[in-house]
Amino acid sequence: MEVIFLPKSWNVDQILDDLDQHGFAIIDDVYPPEYIHALTEECTSHLTQFRQAAIQNGVMNQIRSDHILWINEDLNIAQHHIESLKQLSQNLNRAFYLGINDIEAHFACYNAGEFYALHRDNPQGKNGRMISTVYYLHAEWQDDWGGQLHLQDKNNHWHIIQPQPNRIAMFQSDLLHEVIKAKHQRLSITAWLRSDQLRL
Ligand code: OGA
Ligand code: MN
């Protein structure tokens, strides 16, 4: 049996503490260069298969205009990222009793001019999404390129999170957030840590 450990750069205690205090956490320097390279290659080689993202009532490009590709077992490199998130989920379950037992993920590509308006990933605790995670995999991002994640934390304070390469932003899926219009191509993996125990 292959045993997979969390990447060493992930400070689990800090992540748990930040989620507990603020409802969100940032991890930087997530993966080594070889893995980032392979993952970016897997993402960009599939870009022609990305589809206009939909929200609950179908495609509505005044709400979001990015394109996505759902991740399945065929995307071998992305699977390692999912595995890391599964390991992290065990820590989250132990600390917060979240009951996370599934991960749902897609690549996302925002081309210049694309955005995602204010929303919650799990508005009334009804869809099983507990924690949202976004890993940024473009090679470079500058502060004036737009594309920031604008997030309201659990104490109602707003934060501007730059989509720095090799960064994970993770937050409670019930928190309000948006993606500001990007000025350059912005590549990411969004993954939701899910529980089947839906709240009523
Ligand atoms: C999402 C989302 C944030 C980001 O995919 O639901 O809010 O920074 N993504 O890409
Ligand atoms: Mn979202």
Side-chain angles (χ1 to χ4, degrees):
M1 190 181 78
E2 194 187 359
V3 180
I4 299 152
F5 296 98
L6 276 176
K8 281 205 257 331
S9 60
W10 299 28
N11 182 341
V12 175
D13 289 339
Q14 184 71 53
I15 295 167
L16 295 179
D17 200 49
D18 288 345
L19 284 172
D20 188 38
Q21 302 281 321
H22 307 290
F24 78 101
I26 306 289
I27 317 174
D28 280 318
D29 304 317
V30 172
Y31 293 120
E34 313 80 63
Y35 180 71
I36 302 169
H37 184 261
L39 187 60
T40 306
E41 172 64 30
E42 187 171 70
C43 175
T44 53
S45 67
H46 286 83
L47 276 178
T48 56
Q49 295 173 32
F50 282 40
R51 296 286 171 258
Q52 171 92 62
I55 59 165
Q56 244 148 25
N57 304 319
V59 172
M60 294 193 61
N61 51 18
Q62 65 273 41
I63 296 181
R64 68 183 297 189
S65 45
D66 59 318
H67 289 69
I68 64 163
L69 179 68
W70 288 100
I71 292 172
N72 60 24
E73 308 80 55
D74 299 339
L75 296 166
N76 295 311
I77 313 291
Q79 281 307 317
H80 295 282
H81 174 56
I82 310 284
E83 280 303 323
S84 302
L85 294 174
K86 276 189 190 156
Q87 298 290 315
L88 180 66
S89 299
Q90 294 181 7
N91 293 276
L92 296 177
N93 283 346
R94 274 196 291 271
F96 305 126
Y97 306 100
L98 292 181
I100 295 160
N101 55 12
D102 192 19
I103 296 190
E104 141 191 65
H106 63 55
F107 282 113
C109 174
Y110 292 72
N111 285 311
E114 297 180 348
F115 63 93
Y116 194 160
L118 270 185
H119 67 282
R120 300 175 204 270
D121 295 345
N122 187 0
Q124 276 101 34
K126 282 187 179 153
N127 66 21
R129 291 171 173 175
M130 307 302 289
I131 302 286
S132 305
T133 71
V134 190
Y135 174 72
Y136 303 108
L137 58 113
H138 33 254
E140 182 190 358
W141 202 264
Q142 292 182 12
D143 288 356
D144 61 355
W145 286 5
Q148 295 91 352
L149 170 63
H150 197 195
L151 172 77
Q152 186 179 41
D153 73 15
K154 66 188 270 192
N155 309 307
N156 299 330
H157 299 130
W158 284 92
H159 300 267
I160 295 170
I161 299 164
Q162 294 290 346
Q164 288 302 327
N166 208 21
R167 163 176 282 178
I168 289 176
M170 67 172 68
F171 50 91
Q172 288 176 203
S173 297
D174 58 349
L175 294 177
L176 197 55
H177 60 283
E178 67 185 323
V179 178
I180 308 298
K181 192 185 283 187
K183 296 183 186 164
H184 289 259
Q185 189 182 66
R186 178 190 193 270
L187 300 174
S188 60
I189 294 178
T190 299
W192 291 277
L193 317 184
R194 299 183 60 115
S195 151
D196 284 341
Q197 294 145 23
L198 302 187
R199 282 179 273 144
L200 295 174

